[in-house]
Amino acid sequence: MKILVLNASPRPDGNTAKMTAAFCEEAQKHGHNAVCLNVCRMNIKGCLACEYCHGKGQGACVQKDDMQTVYSQLKDTEMLVLASPIYYHGITGQLKCVIDRFYSALYPTAPKCLKKIAMFLSSGDDDMYTGAKFSYDGDFVGYLGLEGCGIFTNHDKDVLEKIREMAASL
Ligand SMILES: Cc1cc2nc3c(=O)[nH]c(=O)nc-3n(C[C@H](O)[C@H](O)[C@H](O)COP(=O)(O)O)c2cc1C
């Protein structure tokens, strides 16, 4: 299965990086093609709400920044993993820009090949996940109808093992 992992932590050795690394390693071990993009190292601007993508652009975004790399990976992606620290009760601004830019590619419908989603979250306190979970449940599982493979946080006991188990079960 082709899996696109979007790591939205700027910390190369942080919790999110460890979760994505464990997932990718296990997924590759089980024959999946896991591609990880560190969106904090990419130049991705916010959505302009110009609606070019839903008119003249026929699905293409008018902005030609590093989001083009995400779009080309998304075309054959079967599973999406959103991985982010919690900043002020939500995902990082870098990942929010990516999700807003999904407007051209995943709205009103996602590509047929995209079937599954998972989320990895990291925060200082353990009760900080409501905003991120709302987006996961509402936008990706609810609206797009993707199969949720779970939300994993750095406060879960043995989280890296649990992530490996999920990757092995795909
Ligand atoms: C700008 C900023 C805002 C943050 N806001 C919160 C917050 O609202 N709640 C919280 O529990 N932790 C907050 N944190 C702490 C991070 O979520 C925490 O250190 C997390 O484990 C970092 O993940 P990482 O190691 O994957 O980068 C914040 C950190 C930064 C830099």
Side-chain angles (χ1 to χ4, degrees):
M1 184 184 346
K2 161 76 181 286
I3 305 170
L4 180 59
V5 181
L6 300 177
N7 175 2
S9 168
R11 300 202 311 149
D13 299 317
N15 297 313
T16 309
K18 288 187 179 106
M19 291 192 270
T20 55
F23 174 80
C24 289
E25 190 185 88
E26 198 67 28
Q28 304 279 16
K29 215 193 274 179
H30 285 80
H32 301 293
N33 173 20
V35 174
C36 183
L37 297 179
N38 189 338
V39 298
C40 291
R41 298 271 174 273
M42 298 169 76
N43 172 29
I44 297 176
K45 297 187 172 60
C47 175
L48 297 173
C50 65
E51 295 289 345
Y52 173 85
C53 58
H54 296 134
K56 224 171 158 184
Q58 298 183 323
C61 180
V62 76
Q63 298 191 75
K64 304 304 177 204
D65 57 10
D66 290 345
M67 191 63 195
Q68 297 305 323
T69 305
V70 180
Y71 291 138
S72 68
Q73 291 290 344
L74 260 183
K75 276 184 192 141
D76 59 352
T77 286
E78 296 163 86
M79 176 176 184
L80 192 58
V81 177
L82 303 175
S84 179
I86 296 295
Y87 288 177
Y88 294 97
H89 289 82
I91 55 172
T92 61
Q94 291 93 331
L95 184 58
K96 184 66 167 74
C97 283
V98 172
I99 290 175
D100 288 355
R101 297 280 296 282
F102 282 165
Y103 192 55
S104 64
L106 304 187
Y107 178 85
T109 51
K112 277 202 171 66
C113 57
L114 185 60
K115 303 277 187 219
K116 295 173 190 266
I117 180 124
M119 191 174 239
F120 304 157
L121 298 170
S122 168
S123 67
D125 295 329
D126 64 0
D127 59 349
M128 288 287 150
Y129 301 115
T130 310
K133 283 180 176 174
F134 193 76
S135 166
Y136 174 90
D137 288 334
D139 297 326
F140 295 97
V141 177
Y143 180 79
L144 290 178
L146 304 182
E147 178 194 337
C149 298
I151 299 175
F152 300 81
T153 84
N154 64 314
H155 292 282
D156 297 340
K157 197 171 174 285
D158 303 323
V159 68
L160 296 183
E161 280 164 38
K162 284 177 182 151
I163 284 172
R164 284 181 184 279
E165 277 168 25
M166 183 271 284
S169 74
L170 292 171

